[in-house]
């Protein structure tokens, strides 16, 4: 019995894991000489992640957000990016995390993803447009010292609407010939109630 338990325990560590390994490969920088009097600047940085993919309906993405702290600040604040005018490496696009109240150019981050079907490792250079006056900042705040940090979180886009949890043939579907799903659970809608347990 002990050998069987040890075998089960050891074999559980042999499972394949598809991790994103997201990395900020170039820390965010601002060219102080390019700070305009129009209260707009560009933040340059790069990110990379493994196992990026996009099919006809779904895709993975990386949510990128930035925080800043002036030399006189105690706490960090969100960089409020513009809704548009960002430049990314070819083959990638973005969707802004817009302000829920509808204010323009106050996006708290961007969802970065492939613009076409494909898969593999991704490396993306970003030039992010920041209207820093929306954060209540001036050119002098940058000249007096400011730190900017970036973070990234792996995400997956799943479109709204009913879906089927499996077709019995896809590699990672829930329904298999040896693991059937009840017919009333085969099409999941917002009204579907799935009862777990007894």
């Amino acid at each position: 019995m002990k050998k069987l338990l040890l075998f089960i325990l050891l074999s559980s560590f042999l499972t394949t894991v598809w991790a994103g390994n997201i990395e900020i490969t170039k820390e965010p920088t601002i060219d102080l000489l390019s700070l305009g009097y129009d209260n707009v600047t560009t933040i340059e940085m790069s990110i990379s992640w493994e196992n990026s993919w996009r099919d006809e309906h779904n895709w993975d993405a990386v949510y990128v957000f930035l925080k800043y702290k002036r030399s006189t600040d105690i706490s960090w604040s969100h960089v409020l990016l513009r809704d548009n005018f960002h430049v990314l490496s070819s083959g990638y696009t973005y969707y802004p995390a817009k302000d829920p109240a509808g204010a323009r150019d106050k996006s708290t981050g961007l969802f970065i993803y492939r613009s076409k079907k494909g898969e593999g490792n991704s490396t993306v250079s970003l030039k992010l447009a920041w209207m820093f006056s929306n954060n209540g900042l001036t050119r002098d705040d940058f000249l007096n010292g400011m730190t900017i940090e970036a973070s990234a979180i792996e995400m997956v886009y799943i479109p709204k609407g009913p879906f089927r949890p499996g077709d019995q043939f896809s590699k990672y579907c829930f329904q298999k010939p040896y693991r059937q799903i009840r017919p009333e659970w085969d099409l999941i809608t917002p009204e579907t109630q799935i009862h777990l347990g007894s």
Side-chain angles (χ1 to χ4, degrees), residues 118-159:
E119 61 183 59
N121 296 341
S122 292
T123 300
V124 183
S125 295
L126 310 167
K127 291 183 179 181
L128 307 175
W130 181 17
M131 185 176 289
F132 53 86
S133 59
N134 285 342
N135 281 98
L137 301 173
T138 65
R139 289 179 81 246
D140 290 338
D141 290 315
F142 291 90
L143 301 175
N144 292 330
M146 183 180 300
T147 304
I148 297 177
E149 295 289 336
S151 295
I153 303 169
E154 188 173 18
M155 310 291 283
V156 175
Y157 172 76
I158 301 173

Side-chain angles (χ1 to χ4, degrees), residues 49-167:
W49 71 101
E50 296 175 0
N51 304 314
S52 171
W53 57 273
R54 181 177 180 140
D55 62 23
E56 303 83 31
H57 308 289
N58 306 314
W59 54 85
D60 80 329
V62 172
Y63 177 62
V64 175
F65 62 96
L66 298 105
K67 298 242 178 173
Y68 73 91
K69 185 167 80 166
R70 294 176 290 196
S71 58
T72 57
D73 290 340
I74 294 172
S75 60
W76 293 84
S77 300
H78 256 294
V79 169
L80 299 177
L81 297 169
R82 298 193 73 184
D83 296 338
N84 299 301
F85 308 110
H86 308 288
V87 179
L88 279 63
S89 298
S90 177
Y92 295 88
T93 190
Y94 65 90
Y95 183 83
K98 293 184 179 181
D99 178 72
R104 288 189 54 207
D105 295 331
K106 289 191 173 184
S107 296
T108 55
L110 298 177
F111 296 94
I112 312 293
Y113 55 95
R114 289 176 178 269
S115 55
K116 297 177 185 151
K117 288 196 314 186
E119 61 183 59
N121 296 341
S122 292
T123 300
V124 183
S125 295
L126 310 167
K127 291 183 179 181
L128 307 175
W130 181 17
M131 185 176 289
F132 53 86
S133 59
N134 285 342
N135 281 98
L137 301 173
T138 65
R139 289 179 81 246
D140 290 338
D141 290 315
F142 291 90
L143 301 175
N144 292 330
M146 183 180 300
T147 304
I148 297 177
E149 295 289 336
S151 295
I153 303 169
E154 188 173 18
M155 310 291 283
V156 175
Y157 172 76
I158 301 173
K160 273 186 176 179
F163 66 94
R164 296 187 187 282
D167 57 13

Side-chain angles (χ1 to χ4, degrees), residues 7-22:
F7 173 75
I8 292 170
L9 182 63
L10 289 176
S11 62
S12 67
F13 293 109
L14 301 176
T15 308
T16 302
V17 176
W18 292 96
N21 287 333
I22 300 170

Side-chain angles (χ1 to χ4, degrees), residues 24 26-28 43-47 64 66 124-126 128 150:
I24 308 289
K26 180 185 174 208
E27 292 295 326
I43 301 170
E44 293 190 32
M45 61 178 288
S46 297
I47 59 172
V64 175
L66 298 105
V124 183
S125 295
L126 310 167
L128 307 175

